[in-house]
Amino acid sequence: RAAVGEGQGGLEMVTLKAGDQVAEVYTFGGVCTSWTVNGKDVLYVRPDAKFDKSKPISGGIPHCWPQFGPGDMQVHGFARNCQWEL
């Protein structure tokens, strides 16, 4: 099951549920910030992560595309700064 709602900072968030697993994915950056299995979250999000679109959400499972690390474009690419659609 999938449900679209509001997450931290008023950002759009998709909640995915399958059995005892729940994932929370923000459409800003397409980042999965939570994956709970048997009631225990197995992902880490920095306590100072920004949920205001001023910078990518730090933690979880980010999209680092088309590069990881420094290079010819911004660190870790541009995909994690984009608004994604479901």
Side-chain angles (χ1 to χ4, degrees), residues 34-48:
S34 176
W35 178 26
T36 305
V37 181
N38 293 323
K40 179 175 170 53
D41 200 335
V42 297
L43 298 181
Y44 174 80
V45 175
R46 290 175 51 136
D48 61 346

Side-chain angles (χ1 to χ4, degrees), residues 22-37:
V22 180
E24 295 178 349
V25 181
Y26 281 81
T27 55
F28 175 67
V31 60
C32 180
T33 57
S34 176
W35 178 26
T36 305
V37 181

Side-chain angles (χ1 to χ4, degrees), residues 12-78:
E12 184 177 71
M13 182 183 75
V14 179
T15 302
L16 304 169
K17 294 182 181 181
D20 65 346
Q21 300 182 53
V22 180
E24 295 178 349
V25 181
Y26 281 81
T27 55
F28 175 67
V31 60
C32 180
T33 57
S34 176
W35 178 26
T36 305
V37 181
N38 293 323
K40 179 175 170 53
D41 200 335
V42 297
L43 298 181
Y44 174 80
V45 175
R46 290 175 51 136
D48 61 346
K50 301 291 183 195
F51 288 83
D52 61 5
K53 295 187 178 182
S54 65
K55 58 191 291 186
I57 298 169
S58 299
I61 304 172
H63 281 84
C64 297
W65 187 85
Q67 70 184 29
F68 183 80
D72 293 336
M73 60 181 65
Q74 64 193 40
V75 175
H76 306 320
F78 60 83

